Amino acid sequence: MKQFDKGIIDFCLELLYPKRCVACDKVLLKIEKDMGICKECAPKVKLVGGTYCIKCGGPINNPSEEFCNNCKENKHHFDQAKAVFRYTGGMKEAMYRFKYSNRRCYGKVFATHALRNYGSWLKAINVDAIVPVPMYGPKEKKRGYNQAEVFAKALSKATGIPIANKIVRRERDTVAMKELNSTKRKKNLLKAFILTENVVQFRKVLIVDDIYTTGTTMDEVARVLKSGGVKEVFGMCVCIGECSD
């Protein structure tokens, strides 16, 4: 009886809130729902692909290169990171809706693609917990949610890796990173994050965020975690910009 009731509820929810393509926002056909992308958008939504920077996970054009220019020039505190999609085309609109239009349902879609593309990598690194990049408290309260935490929870559910969303706190608000150069980005995030709990029980963790640009945010969270005793810090983002090589 409970299963029957759940089926009725799910059917009604599907009628009221049909699943939509993350890229164009059109209602999805039944065969498209698992992937969350319609057949028209599928060829235009670009995954990172096979040639990527072995440090940040960003796409690079020259297969003979191991690192993008950013990772060649900058030392990162995280050990290695991956990104699922290239931040271009329909994914720019998708990320805007995910962040500002309460499309928390996208988190499950992003986690599905993350597991599909990096499931073996996640098993290999064998992390103890998933840590979403925290938002500044008042900003999160105003928005109603933290999109990085939404993705983290969906990834946790898909992988079985526990989420540790309270061990790092964002102490102060910061200027939008897209408005700053690399030097100002680092100064902008200086002492922005603090540990709120003892993290010695975690040997390896995975930081997750929505968009990776230069890695400054992930670096600062990784630095704070390592200062508390975490040995290895990995990262995963939904989207990453086109890297230069």
Side-chain angles (χ1 to χ4, degrees):
M1 188 67 180
K2 288 183 179 180
Q3 190 64 35
F4 176 78
D5 291 343
K6 184 179 184 300
I8 293 294
I9 292 170
D10 290 344
F11 176 75
C12 292
L13 287 173
E14 183 66 23
L15 288 177
L16 292 170
Y17 307 104
K19 292 182 179 179
R20 295 177 175 273
C21 172
V22 298
C24 70
D25 205 37
K26 292 180 181 176
V27 175
L28 292 168
L29 299 174
K30 186 175 181 179
I31 59 173
E32 300 167 335
K33 289 178 181 179
D34 286 343
M35 290 295 102
I37 301 169
C38 71
K39 63 179 181 179
E40 287 81 13
C41 290
K44 297 178 282 187
V45 172
K46 297 180 180 180
L47 294 166
V48 168
T51 305
Y52 53 83
C53 174
I54 63 173
K55 188 67 174 181
C56 73
I60 53 178
N61 298 319
N62 188 345
S64 65
E65 294 285 347
E66 291 187 331
F67 299 94
C68 66
N69 282 341
N70 177 267
C71 290
K72 287 177 185 176
E73 297 168 3
N74 298 282
K75 183 180 178 181
H76 294 297
H77 291 286
F78 62 84
D79 292 273
Q80 189 180 37
K82 301 289 185 184
V84 186
F85 299 100
R86 299 181 185 218
Y87 187 53
T88 184
M91 287 311 299
K92 287 190 174 182
E93 287 73 26
M95 297 312 292
Y96 183 87
R97 289 190 293 271
F98 185 47
K99 291 176 72 169
Y100 303 114
S101 298
N102 201 22
R103 295 301 175 86
R104 284 179 262 190
C105 55
Y106 288 5
K108 184 178 179 180
V109 174
F110 300 147
T112 296
H113 286 275
L115 190 58
R116 187 180 184 187
N117 289 278
Y118 300 118
S120 58
W121 177 74
L122 286 168
K123 285 183 180 179
I125 61 174
N126 191 29
V127 295
D128 303 309
I130 297 173
V131 178
V133 171
M135 284 181 70
Y136 182 54
K139 182 181 286 186
E140 182 177 351
K141 188 175 181 179
K142 183 178 180 181
R143 185 176 297 177
Y145 63 101
N146 171 9
Q147 68 277 357
E149 186 173 339
V150 171
F151 176 46
K153 286 180 176 179
L155 193 60
S156 174
K157 186 175 182 180
T159 61
I161 302 169
I163 186 170
N165 56 351
K166 302 297 183 184
I167 63 174
V168 180
R169 184 172 70 228
R170 197 168 197 141
E171 276 286 87
R172 58 183 180 81
D173 200 7
T174 51
V175 178
M177 299 294 274
K178 62 184 178 182
E179 300 173 8
L180 305 173
N181 60 32
S182 59
T183 302
K184 289 182 178 178
R185 284 172 191 255
K186 292 176 182 178
K187 290 182 179 179
N188 186 42
L189 285 172
L190 191 63
K191 297 182 180 179
F193 301 102
I194 64 165
L195 287 176
T196 58
E197 298 178 15
N198 192 319
V199 293
V200 293
Q201 72 270 33
F202 299 122
R203 191 170 62 89
K204 299 180 183 180
V205 301
L206 177 74
I207 300 171
V208 301
D209 205 359
D210 54 352
I211 303 170
Y212 181 108
T213 47
T214 63
T216 310
T217 302
M218 188 175 289
D219 266 333
E220 185 59 18
V221 177
R223 186 193 66 77
V224 168
L225 287 167
K226 286 189 171 182
S227 73
V230 177
K231 300 301 180 186
E232 294 180 85
V233 178
F234 300 90
M236 180 174 286
C237 292
V238 178
C239 284
I240 193 167
E242 297 290 337
C243 293
S244 57
D245 41 279

